[in-house]
Amino acid sequence: MMTSFFDQFMSPIFLGIPLMALAFTLPWLLFPSPAPRWLNNRLLTLQSWFINRFTAQLLAPMNVGGHKWALILTSLMIFLITLNMLGLLPYTYTPTTQLSLNMGLAVPLWLATVLIGLRNQPTAALGHLLPEGTPGPLIPVLIIIETISLFIRPLALGVRLTANLTAGHLLMQLIATAAFVLLTIMPAVAGATAVVLLLLTILEVAVAMIQAYVFVLLMSLYLQENV
């Protein structure tokens, strides 16, 4: 039983070929492309409005140097939201439940922000490792602590996204299994369990969107410190 619960997080394979690449490319095929006409349809208008609002809110606290990351951060946000939402459909696979994928997204972007800070303002970037006014005996300890906290940032990004999505999927499967088992024994309890499952599904939809937003928001905050 425990093995079957975690089977949903295994990478799908067809004829010995991993389907992870298909799961990556499918989200981009679902979004409509801009038309050459002057007036767009309602779907394109809603998509453009959402992208413009998100980009404006994300880049508002940054200076002009951070605006170069608008395309990367917005694309990452849409990509993560689409993967998380598609993973809530029955008999689908959620790539963002894999820690390797989330770390593969978090580490390069975090490293890029650190390198940008060291290149543009090395004094300020290194100054974050030692707060101003620190007593002399505490300087070595604080440098070690701040260095560890700096390197743990990408790990926190990847683990947060993986843990929240994995816990939600496991809880949904547990409640769905309980409702199916109780259907013939106690139909009333099974109905109440189904209602709880419906509410949990709505909560997971919100979690899927919020976790994608938190991932990109924290990455933008790391970028803001270094530009």
Side-chain angles (χ1 to χ4, degrees):
M1 180 64 70
M2 294 302 295
T3 304
S4 63
F5 283 157
F6 289 93
D7 282 345
Q8 59 177 319
F9 304 116
M10 296 177 61
S11 178
I13 297 177
F14 181 72
L15 298 178
I17 302 174
L19 300 182
M20 183 72 76
L22 180 61
F24 290 160
T25 56
L26 181 60
W28 301 114
L29 301 178
L30 301 178
F31 291 99
S33 301
R37 296 171 297 189
W38 285 7
L39 295 177
N40 294 324
N41 55 29
R42 291 182 178 88
L43 183 59
L44 277 174
T45 304
L46 182 61
Q47 175 181 303
S48 301
W49 176 84
F50 170 76
I51 293 176
N52 292 334
R53 292 290 297 176
F54 170 74
T55 305
Q57 181 181 1
L58 189 67
L59 301 181
M62 294 187 188
N63 54 23
V64 181
H67 293 180
K68 301 176 183 178
W69 285 60
L71 180 61
I72 297 177
L73 296 178
T74 305
S75 302
L76 180 62
M77 172 73 175
I78 297 174
F79 181 65
L80 291 177
I81 284 183
T82 310
L83 287 181
N84 295 346
M85 297 293 289
L86 290 177
L88 295 175
L89 298 176
Y91 302 103
T92 55
Y93 170 69
T94 311
T96 45
T97 56
Q98 301 295 321
L99 182 61
S100 57
L101 169 65
N102 297 331
M103 293 299 296
L105 293 174
V107 172
L109 293 175
W110 165 82
L111 185 60
T113 61
V114 174
L115 293 179
I116 287 176
L118 292 176
R119 185 191 65 178
N120 295 339
Q121 43 184 8
T123 304
L126 294 177
H128 290 301
L129 301 179
L130 185 63
E132 187 178 357
T134 304
L138 295 179
I139 289 179
V141 179
L142 281 180
I143 290 179
I144 296 175
I145 293 176
E146 292 296 331
T147 304
I148 294 175
S149 65
L150 177 65
F151 282 95
I152 210 174
R153 283 180 174 181
L155 181 62
L157 283 176
V159 171
R160 180 186 295 108
L161 182 59
T162 303
N164 281 280
L165 295 180
T166 302
H169 283 65
L170 282 176
L171 190 57
M172 289 175 62
Q173 185 171 0
L174 285 171
I175 296 179
T177 304
F180 181 76
V181 172
L182 294 173
L183 185 60
T184 57
I185 304 175
M186 292 179 288
V189 178
T193 308
V195 173
V196 174
L197 179 61
L198 177 61
L199 297 177
L200 180 62
T201 303
I202 298 175
L203 177 62
E204 283 303 312
V205 172
V207 169
M209 294 185 291
I210 291 173
Q211 289 303 317
Y213 175 74
V214 168
F215 188 95
V216 178
L217 178 63
L218 290 177
M219 191 62 65
S220 68
L221 293 178
Y222 299 157
L223 177 64
Q224 184 180 350
E225 291 181 358
N226 294 282
V227 296

